[in-house]
Amino acid sequence: MSSYVGRLAPSPTGALHLGNVRTFAVAWLRARACGGKVILRMEDLDHPRDKPGAAAQALDDMRWLGFDWDEEYVQSERRPFYRATLARLPAYPCICSRRDVESAQSAPHAGEQLFYPGTCRDRFANWDEAASACAPRTPCWRFRVSPGTVIRFTDVFAGLVKQDVSASLGDFPLARDRDGAGYTLAATADDLAMGVTEVVRGDDLLPATPPQILIARALGRDPPAFCHIPLVVGPDGRRLAKRHGDTRIESFRAAGVAPEAIIGWIAATCGWIDKSRPISLAGLISRFSLETIPHAAIVWRGSFT
Ligand code: GLU
Protein backbone atom coordinates (compact mmCIF):
# COMPACT_ATOMS: atom_id res chain seq x y z
CA MET A 1 0.00 0.00 0.00
CA SER A 2 1.18 3.51 -0.73
CA SER A 3 0.92 6.29 1.84
CA TYR A 4 -2.12 7.80 0.07
CA VAL A 5 -5.23 7.95 2.26
CA GLY A 6 -8.45 9.12 0.63
CA ARG A 7 -12.00 9.29 1.94
CA LEU A 8 -15.62 9.07 0.92
CA ALA A 9 -17.83 11.24 3.12
CA PRO A 10 -21.53 10.80 2.33
CA SER A 11 -24.16 12.80 4.23
CA PRO A 12 -27.43 10.98 4.95
CA THR A 13 -29.45 14.14 4.29
CA GLY A 14 -30.79 12.52 1.13
CA ALA A 15 -30.38 9.50 -1.08
CA LEU A 16 -27.18 8.77 -2.96
CA HIS A 17 -27.58 10.04 -6.53
CA LEU A 18 -25.58 10.18 -9.75
CA GLY A 19 -23.86 13.40 -8.79
CA ASN A 20 -22.50 12.12 -5.44
CA VAL A 21 -21.52 8.83 -7.00
CA ARG A 22 -19.51 10.41 -9.81
CA THR A 23 -17.47 12.34 -7.25
CA PHE A 24 -17.06 9.22 -5.09
CA ALA A 25 -15.89 7.26 -8.12
CA VAL A 26 -13.16 9.82 -8.76
CA ALA A 27 -12.16 9.78 -5.08
CA TRP A 28 -12.13 5.97 -4.85
CA LEU A 29 -10.23 5.46 -8.08
CA ARG A 30 -7.71 8.15 -7.21
CA ALA A 31 -6.85 6.17 -4.06
CA ARG A 32 -7.01 2.68 -5.56
CA ALA A 33 -5.04 3.60 -8.68
CA CYS A 34 -2.03 4.38 -6.50
CA GLY A 35 -2.55 1.49 -4.08
CA GLY A 36 -3.83 3.82 -1.36
CA LYS A 37 -6.32 3.40 1.44
CA VAL A 38 -10.00 4.47 1.40
CA ILE A 39 -11.89 5.66 4.47
CA LEU A 40 -15.67 5.76 4.59
CA ARG A 41 -16.95 8.47 6.91
CA MET A 42 -20.68 8.88 7.44
CA GLU A 43 -21.29 12.61 8.03
CA ASP A 44 -24.50 12.33 10.01
CA LEU A 45 -24.34 15.47 12.14
CA ASP A 46 -26.91 17.47 10.23
CA HIS A 47 -30.02 16.88 12.33
CA PRO A 48 -32.84 17.28 11.54
CA ARG A 49 -32.01 17.18 7.82
CA ASP A 50 -30.57 13.65 8.13
CA LYS A 51 -33.13 11.11 6.94
CA PRO A 52 -33.67 7.89 8.91
CA GLY A 53 -32.37 4.89 7.00
CA ALA A 54 -30.49 7.02 4.47
CA ALA A 55 -27.05 6.12 5.85
CA ALA A 56 -27.63 2.36 5.61
CA GLN A 57 -29.16 2.75 2.16
CA ALA A 58 -26.20 4.83 0.96
CA LEU A 59 -23.70 2.18 2.12
CA ASP A 60 -25.73 -0.54 0.49
CA ASP A 61 -25.93 1.41 -2.78
CA MET A 62 -22.20 2.05 -2.70
CA ARG A 63 -21.34 -1.62 -2.21
CA TRP A 64 -23.73 -2.51 -5.01
CA LEU A 65 -21.87 -0.08 -7.29
CA GLY A 66 -18.56 -1.78 -6.44
CA PHE A 67 -17.09 0.56 -3.83
CA ASP A 68 -15.16 -0.85 -0.89
CA TRP A 69 -13.23 0.76 1.95
CA ASP A 70 -10.65 -0.09 4.55
CA GLU A 71 -12.01 1.78 7.58
CA GLU A 72 -15.46 3.07 8.48
CA TYR A 73 -16.42 5.89 10.85
CA VAL A 74 -19.67 7.51 11.93
CA GLN A 75 -19.45 11.15 12.97
CA SER A 76 -22.33 11.04 15.44
CA GLU A 77 -20.24 8.60 17.53
CA ARG A 78 -17.31 11.01 17.73
CA ARG A 79 -18.75 13.95 19.71
CA PRO A 80 -16.17 13.79 22.54
CA PHE A 81 -13.41 14.12 19.96
CA TYR A 82 -15.06 17.22 18.42
CA ARG A 83 -15.52 18.74 21.88
CA ALA A 84 -11.83 18.23 22.64
CA THR A 85 -10.86 19.69 19.25
CA LEU A 86 -13.08 22.73 19.78
CA ALA A 87 -11.30 23.44 23.07
CA ARG A 88 -8.03 23.81 21.12
CA LEU A 89 -9.39 26.36 18.64
CA PRO A 90 -9.76 30.15 18.89
CA ALA A 91 -13.55 29.92 18.98
CA TYR A 92 -16.37 31.99 20.46
CA PRO A 93 -20.15 31.58 20.51
CA CYS A 94 -22.23 33.81 18.24
CA ILE A 95 -25.98 34.41 18.37
CA CYS A 96 -26.40 36.38 15.14
CA SER A 97 -29.03 35.08 12.76
CA ARG A 98 -28.35 34.92 9.04
CA ARG A 99 -30.48 38.03 8.66
CA ASP A 100 -28.39 39.88 11.27
CA VAL A 101 -25.24 39.00 9.36
CA GLU A 102 -26.77 40.03 6.03
CA SER A 103 -27.89 43.38 7.30
CA ALA A 104 -24.42 44.06 8.71
CA GLN A 105 -22.83 43.74 5.22
CA SER A 106 -21.22 47.04 4.33
CA ALA A 107 -20.64 46.07 0.71
CA PRO A 108 -21.85 43.21 -1.43
CA HIS A 109 -19.55 40.21 -1.20
CA ALA A 110 -18.80 37.80 -3.98
CA GLY A 111 -20.78 34.59 -4.27
CA GLU A 112 -22.81 33.24 -1.42
CA GLN A 113 -20.22 33.85 1.25
CA LEU A 114 -21.32 36.18 3.97
CA PHE A 115 -18.85 38.45 5.65
CA TYR A 116 -19.15 38.36 9.42
CA PRO A 117 -17.99 41.57 11.14
CA GLY A 118 -17.30 40.01 14.54
CA THR A 119 -20.43 41.26 16.31
CA CYS A 120 -20.30 38.58 19.03
CA ARG A 121 -16.53 38.60 19.59
CA ASP A 122 -15.93 39.08 23.32
CA ARG A 123 -19.67 39.29 23.96
CA PHE A 124 -20.34 36.06 25.89
CA ALA A 125 -18.31 34.35 28.58
CA ASN A 126 -19.35 30.90 27.39
CA TRP A 127 -21.77 28.86 25.28
CA ASP A 128 -24.52 28.71 27.91
CA GLU A 129 -24.63 32.46 28.28
CA ALA A 130 -24.97 32.82 24.49
CA ALA A 131 -27.57 30.04 24.34
CA SER A 132 -29.80 31.70 26.90
CA ALA A 133 -29.48 35.04 25.07
CA CYS A 134 -30.87 33.58 21.84
CA ALA A 135 -33.17 30.77 23.02
CA PRO A 136 -34.94 28.96 21.44
CA ARG A 137 -32.42 29.38 18.62
CA THR A 138 -29.01 27.71 18.95
CA PRO A 139 -25.81 29.78 18.81
CA CYS A 140 -22.91 28.81 16.57
CA TRP A 141 -19.20 28.64 17.27
CA ARG A 142 -17.10 31.00 15.20
CA PHE A 143 -13.39 30.89 14.48
CA ARG A 144 -11.54 34.08 15.36
CA VAL A 145 -9.68 35.11 12.19
CA SER A 146 -6.71 37.49 12.63
CA PRO A 147 -6.50 40.54 10.37
CA GLY A 148 -4.49 39.95 7.20
CA THR A 149 -5.17 36.21 7.08
CA VAL A 150 -4.64 35.24 3.44
CA ILE A 151 -4.86 31.60 2.38
CA ARG A 152 -3.16 30.35 -0.78
CA PHE A 153 -3.17 26.76 -1.92
CA THR A 154 -2.93 24.84 -5.15
CA ASP A 155 -5.90 22.58 -5.64
CA VAL A 156 -4.84 19.42 -7.44
CA PHE A 157 -7.69 19.83 -9.95
CA ALA A 158 -8.91 23.44 -9.70
CA GLY A 159 -5.46 25.07 -9.51
CA LEU A 160 -4.38 28.09 -7.52
CA VAL A 161 -6.82 29.43 -4.95
CA LYS A 162 -6.17 32.61 -3.01
CA GLN A 163 -8.49 34.16 -0.47
CA ASP A 164 -8.13 36.91 2.07
CA VAL A 165 -10.27 35.19 4.67
CA SER A 166 -10.20 38.10 7.12
CA ALA A 167 -11.52 40.52 4.47
CA SER A 168 -13.96 38.27 2.61
CA LEU A 169 -15.36 35.94 5.28
CA GLY A 170 -14.29 37.21 8.66
CA ASP A 171 -14.85 34.95 11.66
CA PHE A 172 -16.38 31.96 9.90
CA PRO A 173 -18.79 29.45 11.55
CA LEU A 174 -17.33 26.19 12.83
CA ALA A 175 -20.46 24.38 14.01
CA ARG A 176 -23.95 25.13 15.22
CA ASP A 177 -23.59 22.77 18.13
CA ARG A 178 -22.40 23.01 21.70
CA ASP A 179 -19.77 20.30 21.23
CA GLY A 180 -18.54 21.67 17.93
CA ALA A 181 -20.11 18.69 16.19
CA GLY A 182 -20.89 20.39 12.88
CA TYR A 183 -19.56 20.03 9.35
CA THR A 184 -16.71 22.54 9.15
CA LEU A 185 -15.05 21.56 12.40
CA ALA A 186 -15.82 17.84 12.29
CA ALA A 187 -14.76 17.18 8.71
CA THR A 188 -11.47 19.00 9.24
CA ALA A 189 -10.69 17.37 12.57
CA ASP A 190 -11.54 13.97 11.16
CA ASP A 191 -9.45 14.37 8.01
CA LEU A 192 -6.46 15.12 10.25
CA ALA A 193 -7.19 12.39 12.80
CA MET A 194 -7.84 9.77 10.12
CA GLY A 195 -4.59 10.57 8.32
CA VAL A 196 -6.31 11.65 5.09
CA THR A 197 -3.60 12.81 2.68
CA GLU A 198 -5.90 14.15 -0.04
CA VAL A 199 -9.53 15.28 -0.03
CA VAL A 200 -11.33 14.61 -3.33
CA ARG A 201 -14.81 16.14 -3.36
CA GLY A 202 -17.25 18.27 -5.34
CA ASP A 203 -16.24 21.82 -6.20
CA ASP A 204 -19.28 23.17 -4.35
CA LEU A 205 -16.99 22.75 -1.31
CA LEU A 206 -14.11 24.78 -2.71
CA PRO A 207 -15.25 27.82 -0.63
CA ALA A 208 -15.17 25.67 2.52
CA THR A 209 -11.48 24.93 2.02
CA PRO A 210 -9.69 28.12 3.20
CA PRO A 211 -11.49 27.90 6.58
CA GLN A 212 -10.59 24.21 6.84
CA ILE A 213 -6.94 25.03 6.15
CA LEU A 214 -7.03 27.65 8.91
CA ILE A 215 -8.51 25.12 11.34
CA ALA A 216 -5.78 22.60 10.51
CA ARG A 217 -3.08 25.21 11.09
CA ALA A 218 -4.65 26.28 14.38
CA LEU A 219 -4.38 22.64 15.44
CA GLY A 220 -0.70 22.71 14.54
CA ARG A 221 -1.10 20.44 11.52
CA ASP A 222 -0.56 20.63 7.79
CA PRO A 223 -3.86 20.31 5.91
CA PRO A 224 -4.31 17.48 3.42
CA ALA A 225 -4.10 18.20 -0.31
CA PHE A 226 -7.41 19.14 -1.95
CA CYS A 227 -8.84 18.06 -5.29
CA HIS A 228 -12.21 19.62 -6.21
CA ILE A 229 -14.13 18.08 -9.07
CA PRO A 230 -16.96 19.83 -10.99
CA LEU A 231 -20.48 18.66 -10.17
CA VAL A 232 -23.07 17.01 -12.35
CA VAL A 233 -25.75 19.48 -13.44
CA GLY A 234 -29.09 19.27 -15.23
CA PRO A 235 -29.69 20.60 -18.78
CA ASP A 236 -30.50 23.97 -17.16
CA GLY A 237 -26.96 24.18 -15.78
CA ARG A 238 -28.10 23.90 -12.17
CA ARG A 239 -26.74 21.23 -9.86
CA LEU A 240 -28.53 17.91 -10.08
CA ALA A 241 -31.78 17.96 -8.12
CA LYS A 242 -35.28 16.50 -8.10
CA ARG A 243 -36.42 18.79 -10.89
CA HIS A 244 -34.05 16.94 -13.25
CA GLY A 245 -35.84 13.65 -12.65
CA ASP A 246 -35.10 10.81 -10.31
CA THR A 247 -31.35 10.15 -10.27
CA ARG A 248 -31.25 8.21 -7.01
CA ILE A 249 -29.15 5.07 -7.20
CA GLU A 250 -31.86 3.10 -5.37
CA SER A 251 -34.37 4.03 -8.09
CA PHE A 252 -32.05 2.89 -10.89
CA ARG A 253 -31.53 -0.37 -8.95
CA ALA A 254 -35.26 -0.84 -8.56
CA ALA A 255 -35.74 -0.22 -12.29
CA GLY A 256 -33.26 -3.01 -13.12
CA VAL A 257 -30.35 -0.82 -14.26
CA ALA A 258 -27.00 -2.63 -13.80
CA PRO A 259 -24.26 -0.99 -11.70
CA GLU A 260 -21.93 -1.29 -14.69
CA ALA A 261 -24.25 0.93 -16.76
CA ILE A 262 -24.05 3.67 -14.13
CA ILE A 263 -20.27 3.33 -13.76
CA GLY A 264 -19.91 3.28 -17.56
CA TRP A 265 -21.72 6.61 -17.85
CA ILE A 266 -19.44 8.07 -15.17
CA ALA A 267 -16.36 6.68 -16.93
CA ALA A 268 -17.38 8.30 -20.21
CA THR A 269 -18.04 11.67 -18.53
CA CYS A 270 -14.54 11.47 -17.04
CA GLY A 271 -12.87 10.55 -20.33
CA TRP A 272 -11.73 7.09 -19.17
CA ILE A 273 -13.61 5.35 -21.95
CA ASP A 274 -14.62 6.98 -25.23
CA LYS A 275 -18.31 6.29 -24.97
CA SER A 276 -20.70 5.06 -22.34
CA ARG A 277 -20.75 1.25 -22.12
CA PRO A 278 -21.04 -1.13 -19.17
CA ILE A 279 -17.87 -1.43 -17.09
CA SER A 280 -17.15 -2.20 -13.44
CA LEU A 281 -15.64 0.25 -10.99
CA ALA A 282 -12.65 -2.03 -10.39
CA GLY A 283 -12.24 -2.31 -14.17
CA LEU A 284 -11.50 1.43 -14.24
CA ILE A 285 -8.51 1.35 -11.89
CA SER A 286 -6.05 0.92 -14.75
CA ARG A 287 -7.81 3.58 -16.86
CA PHE A 288 -8.10 6.24 -14.18
CA SER A 289 -6.61 9.66 -14.79
CA LEU A 290 -7.43 13.09 -13.41
CA GLU A 291 -6.14 14.68 -16.61
CA THR A 292 -9.03 13.53 -18.79
CA ILE A 293 -11.76 14.87 -16.48
CA PRO A 294 -13.40 17.96 -18.02
CA HIS A 295 -13.14 21.18 -16.06
CA ALA A 296 -16.71 22.11 -16.96
CA ALA A 297 -19.71 20.69 -15.13
CA ILE A 298 -21.16 17.48 -16.60
CA VAL A 299 -24.73 17.56 -17.87
CA TRP A 300 -27.07 14.66 -17.07
CA ARG A 301 -29.44 14.28 -20.03
CA GLY A 302 -31.57 11.55 -18.58
CA SER A 303 -29.91 8.47 -20.04
CA PHE A 304 -26.77 6.36 -19.49
CA THR A 305 -25.98 6.05 -23.18
N1 GLU B 1 -20.54 15.17 3.63
C1 GLU B 1 -20.32 16.21 2.68
C2 GLU B 1 -21.35 16.14 1.58
O1 GLU B 1 -21.93 15.10 1.36
C3 GLU B 1 -18.95 16.14 2.03
C4 GLU B 1 -17.95 16.76 2.89
C5 GLU B 1 -16.56 16.77 2.37
O2 GLU B 1 -16.27 16.05 1.40
O3 GLU B 1 -15.74 17.48 2.95
O4 GLU B 1 -21.59 17.16 0.96
Side-chain angles (χ1 to χ4, degrees):
M1 265 209 177
S2 73
S3 56
Y4 186 101
V5 182
R7 43 70 150 191
L8 309 171
S11 294
T13 46
L16 204 67
H17 59 76
L18 270 186
N20 319 123
V21 165
R22 181 173 183 271
T23 307
F24 289 153
V26 177
W28 187 88
L29 288 163
R30 174 93 169 143
R32 293 310 191 207
C34 70
K37 194 159 98 172
V38 176
I39 285 171
L40 188 293
R41 183 169 76 225
M42 188 51 68
E43 301 206 322
D44 59 344
L45 296 175
D46 197 1
H47 310 296
R49 286 176 62 229
D50 289 343
K51 309 246 179 340
Q57 178 72 47
L59 297 186
D60 194 56
D61 288 343
M62 287 175 73
R63 289 196 188 90
W64 177 78
L65 285 163
F67 289 95
D68 64 359
W69 43 89
D70 306 292
E71 292 172 26
E72 187 173 324
Y73 299 92
V74 179
Q75 285 192 324
S76 58
E77 295 169 357
R78 297 171 57 79
R79 298 188 76 89
F81 170 65
Y82 305 134
R83 195 182 312 129
T85 304
L86 175 66
R88 295 171 54 206
L89 292 173
Y92 64 85
C94 163
I95 64 166
C96 297
S97 64
R98 189 178 171 92
R99 187 174 304 166
D100 293 337
V101 181
E102 276 165 0
S103 58
Q105 303 282 297
S106 50
H109 283 265
E112 282 173 25
Q113 292 195 319
L114 276 183
F115 175 74
Y116 182 70
T119 318
C120 290
R121 263 193 186 201
D122 310 313
R123 191 164 165 196
F124 302 104
N126 52 46
W127 176 268
D128 289 338
E129 207 179 290
S132 55
C134 72
R137 288 189 303 114
T138 308
C140 75
W141 288 105
R142 286 187 182 271
F143 184 103
R144 199 180 282 266
V145 178
S146 312
T149 300
V150 178
I151 292 291
R152 268 184 210 85
F153 68 98
T154 302
D155 187 274
V156 175
F157 193 83
L160 186 68
V161 177
K162 182 178 166 211
Q163 186 180 10
D164 183 334
V165 179
S166 42
S168 60
L169 260 189
D171 296 346
F172 56 83
L174 284 164
R176 188 170 293 285
D177 176 90
R178 186 195 177 99
D179 291 331
Y183 169 68
T184 304
L185 184 148
T188 312
D190 280 346
D191 285 336
L192 297 174
M194 295 168 189
V196 170
T197 58
E198 184 178 87
V199 170
V200 179
R201 61 186 177 190
D203 64 5
D204 54 325
L205 288 167
L206 199 49
T209 309
Q212 293 181 336
I213 291 174
L214 279 175
I215 296 170
R217 287 195 191 153
L219 295 169
R221 297 280 303 275
D222 287 330
F226 290 93
C227 178
H228 287 91
I229 303 295
L231 299 180
V232 178
V233 299
D236 59 357
R238 292 163 73 186
R239 79 192 268 179
L240 212 55
K242 285 207 179 91
R243 78 180 88 88
H244 303 120
D246 189 351
T247 66
R248 291 174 299 169
I249 302 306
E250 58 183 274
S251 306
F252 293 127
R253 280 177 82 171
V257 174
E260 292 80 9
I262 299 175
I263 298 297
W265 177 81
I266 291 172
T269 67
C270 290
W272 303 325
I273 54 179
D274 55 5
K275 84 188 236 315
S276 181
R277 61 174 167 81
I279 190 163
S280 70
L281 187 59
L284 290 173
I285 294 176
S286 60
R287 297 171 181 266
F288 171 80
S289 164
L290 273 185
E291 258 99 82
T292 56
I293 301 178
H295 280 258
I298 290 300
V299 182
W300 166 248
R301 300 196 183 277
S303 132
F304 289 113
T305 51

